[in-house]
Amino acid sequence: MGAGFTGCGAGEPPPVSCELDAPECRRNALAHCDDAGVVVETPCDPGRCAVDAPVAQCVPANALPCDPVTDVASCENGLIVECALDVAYRLARDCGEGMLCLSKEGVATCAVLDGRPCSPSTFQPLCVGERRIECERSRGRLFEAGACAATP
């Protein structure tokens, strides 16, 4: 008789299960399942846990709910603020290096900032992400002036 395999130690691992069907808010913490099926609670501080989002999640404290179909993007301090489809909250994001949120005729968009005209007498320097944006006095043009100063 030949050797046989009994199946012990071979085959697929048992499926991972978790007591939560979807993430949920527990006070101001987001409870979700990790890859091992263990419930993990992540504090949302300094933000808050949004139970009314399509899926519970942490959002910034000042984030407002929105309708992803009808909401219009806007600019705030060089960041673009949009209604994220999967979140249904208005969230600000950095446009990225060399870019800045600019609004023209009510339409906000990320645009290349170097060389954009600005008014040196009215433009206040911005800290966008970790980048300092200034208006060059001699030419009246925007430029990245390096890293933002750290606040104590």
Side-chain angles (χ1 to χ4, degrees):
M1 295 212 137
F5 291 101
T6 62
C8 293
E12 297 290 317
V16 175
S17 64
C18 181
E19 65 185 73
L20 296 177
D21 292 329
E24 64 182 39
C25 292
R26 294 182 178 171
R27 295 185 188 242
N28 197 36
L30 180 66
H32 61 280
C33 296
D34 68 7
D35 292 339
V38 175
V39 175
V40 176
E41 288 190 26
T42 305
C44 289
D45 293 329
R48 63 186 170 85
C49 194
V51 68
D52 57 345
V55 174
Q57 57 196 287
C58 294
V59 298
N62 63 347
L64 297 172
C66 57
D67 180 350
V69 176
T70 61
D71 192 77
V72 177
S74 62
C75 296
E76 289 182 17
N77 297 320
L79 302 173
I80 190 161
V81 181
E82 302 171 299
C83 185
L85 183 62
D86 58 336
V87 181
Y89 269 82
R90 288 183 56 78
L91 301 177
R93 70 172 173 84
D94 185 351
C95 290
E97 190 173 327
M99 306 286 284
L100 185 68
C101 183
L102 299 173
S103 185
K104 186 175 182 180
E105 298 176 8
V107 177
T109 186
C110 289
V112 174
L113 77 98
D114 275 343
R116 292 276 176 175
C118 58
S119 174
S121 62
T122 60
F123 186 86
Q124 295 295 314
L126 296 172
C127 190
V128 181
E130 298 296 320
R131 303 167 292 123
R132 183 173 171 86
I133 310 298
E134 294 184 8
C135 182
E136 187 179 21
R137 288 208 170 276
S138 62
R139 295 182 10 182
R141 302 286 183 200
L142 293 176
F143 72 102
E144 283 189 23
C148 292
T151 54

